[in-house]
Amino acid sequence: HSAFIVIIIGAAVTRYTGYNGTMHIRSGEAASSMYTSDLYFRVEATDKAGKYIGDVPVHMSQVLNSPFHLAVDTKQNGKIEFDYKGVLKNAVDTIEENMPGGKSMLGVVVPGAGGRQTVFVEDGEIKDMGQFMIAFNNNTRTDAIRITEKDGKLMINSPFDINRTAMPSMAKDTITRDVEKEFKEKCLYELGGPVFVFKKLYTKATKHLIAGKGEGGPDALLLDVTINGIKHNAQVLGGSGYISNFQDAGIEGMDIKMAYGEKEVDIPFSLKLDRFVLERYPGSSSPSSFLSEVTLIDSANNVKEPHKIFMNHVLDYRGYRFFQTSYDPDEMGTVLSVNHDQNGTMVTYAGYFLMGLGFLLTLLNKNSRFYLLRRSIKKIRQERKAGIITTIILLVIGLNSFAQTTEIKHVSVAEADKFGHLLVQTVNGRFEPVNTLAYDVLHKISRKDVFDIDGVGKMGAVQIFMDMPLNTEFWKTQKIIYIREKSVQEVVGITGSYAAFNDFFDEKGNYKLAQIAENSFRKKAAEQNAFDKEIIKVDERANVTMMVFNGSMLKMFPTQYNTNGSWVSWDDSLARLPITGSLKILNDDLQLNVFCIHNIMGLYLQEVYKACKTNDYSRADKLWEYINSIQRQSTMASAIPSPTMVNYEISY
């Protein structure tokens, strides 16, 4: 119970002193600031006496929004108060014409993050479109595209040449720099990159925001702003994924700017991105992993160090933790998650330690509930022993009768077990039995260790793992790939929780998840919904299945051409190079044209495939002995587990 209290205290320390966010770095560039994951409402008010700044966190959820109050004290106008009133999700402008107090507005269509969007420019306003500006009845900026009303017509005057295309006739002309021409509706205006379309002129119009459909657009934070006792309505655009850039509010003639979004926070050092590396599954375009090679630069402490940041490998420095999260579509930039919560982490870890200590003391305490249960279980176990032995006898009889009545053309259990005793090197460099790898892989693909295959019967993980490269076409039609989410099942085109490998491809052989998986993989972890997470998992399962088919996962062979101790699979380019030295004597029996790893493994699989039909594994077993000898006589012989240790691990 003390552990729970300490952990709750740690959570409180994290809540009130810790913060996290993201850092975006382009290749060759350095960054020394992050953007918070929490959203902030920020205010900047200016009068003749000075500038006044304030901010407050805004907590939003699908269930509950947290109201806030922010007050800024000014010398000339006293206290200015900002109160939360509501939020409009994915807010969009809507226009109503012929309204009292309305004014003229231009409707201009420009490209946006989620597709086309309409921007409204009010009479007398200058609107920044990003790469250019449009001014309506306002000639104060000569670098803006100026639209003015003259004699009932709209005229355009541009500081640069604009190519214009009338729709739908597609007639083209050019608006020459500083030459006034008529501004026409339903025309495409091209600025040598940026484009826009003049949609419509609205008269006596009023503009207000409404909640839009879909996702991806900015939210609108609705506020009550009180100045000199008078309450005003205000709104500011922003939200998750938007940097809190200040926007003019202009209330009662005061210079007030407001912002809503992620807040920039400086950190006391910088990270430079030297190289971003994206790896993909062999023979696939799906990402398998990615890492960032960075240089940590801390001038104050005279530190300049290279580091690698990738999944499950973080960078810790001065209370900050950096995790690999996402990357840019052009693979020239990285997105890192940043966490600053050293105090909260230490308190929480202390709580975990107390909890572990409590568990240990519970096991040793003879008066505990655990001790009482253990004594009861001992008694029950004695009573069940006879029943278990009977069940085992019946099971063996059942398996024998099954074997006698079913014609098995797949690899035998005994040969699969023998194959499982060979060694393989994992991606982490560990040497383990093929048996261990087979269970790990099949459990990842299917969430099961034993499979009931139509027309064959029950097959274990190791037997299937060995059989998949031999009977590839058969296994491509078997529903062994687990898909939990119904939405992903619909994308693949199946009903139920299991899909076959062939289900992932359309009639033209295109991989159905290619673009969807790429988009989900690039998203920040905080932005990934249940669909994205399931897509990433299922894409991984499909690619792992393909690696089992082509054997690229079986790094079973030491090679004379690798001096770093790493082993290779039989489809590796190094596996095709000739084996030299004392091992050449093996070819006196094999008689291979080229005595190399690729041909040895190929011959072994060929002999196993033949034996599936003849049930004579003698030749395959001899080749197994040769592969075992190659492993045991390598330069890594002292580092690999002994046959006894292999047996222990398989038993475990």
Side-chain angles (χ1 to χ4, degrees), residues 6 49 79 144 158 161 174 194 229 257 289 297 328 348 357 363 368 411 419 444 532 546 552 597-598 634 648:
V6 173
K79 183 181 290 186
S158 171
D161 291 347
T174 300
K257 294 182 173 65
S289 65
I297 304 171
D328 291 344
T348 304
L357 181 62
L363 297 179
S368 70
V411 64
F419 181 66
K444 173 177 280 293
D532 293 317
M546 183 173 64
S552 61
I597 290 166
H598 177 81
S634 72
Y648 283 158

Side-chain angles (χ1 to χ4, degrees), residues 396-416:
V396 170
I397 293 172
L399 288 175
N400 286 338
S401 62
F402 175 81
Q404 292 167 5
T405 58
T406 305
E407 183 182 358
I408 298 177
K409 295 184 179 180
H410 298 271
V411 64
S412 70
V413 175
E415 190 64 24

Side-chain angles (χ1 to χ4, degrees), residues 284-295:
S284 169
S285 62
S286 298
S288 60
S289 65
F290 47 90
L291 67 86
S292 298
E293 296 180 359
V294 301
T295 299

Side-chain angles (χ1 to χ4, degrees), residues 61-126:
S61 75
Q62 294 181 347
V63 179
L64 182 67
N65 296 334
S66 177
F68 62 82
H69 172 82
L70 176 65
V72 177
D73 290 316
T74 67
K75 292 183 179 180
Q76 288 189 331
N77 292 275
K79 183 181 290 186
I80 305 176
E81 297 180 276
F82 301 84
D83 291 283
Y84 170 86
K85 194 166 69 172
V87 65
L88 295 175
K89 302 298 290 183
N90 195 33
V92 293
D93 283 318
T94 184
I95 296 292
E96 291 186 54
E97 291 189 273
N98 302 314
M99 300 294 291
K103 58 174 69 175
S104 297
M105 295 184 193
L106 297 176
V108 179
V109 180
V110 296
R116 298 185 305 168
Q117 61 182 7
T118 302
V119 178
F120 300 99
V121 187
E122 297 183 7
D123 189 358
E125 183 183 13
I126 300 176

Side-chain angles (χ1 to χ4, degrees), residues 417-435:
D417 179 66
K418 196 176 185 72
F419 181 66
H421 281 70
L422 292 172
L423 293 172
V424 64
Q425 189 178 41
T426 69
V427 292
N428 297 322
R430 177 179 183 261
F431 292 103
E432 66 183 21
V434 171
N435 180 286

Side-chain angles (χ1 to χ4, degrees), residues 119 327 524:
V119 178
Y327 58 93
K524 301 174 186 176

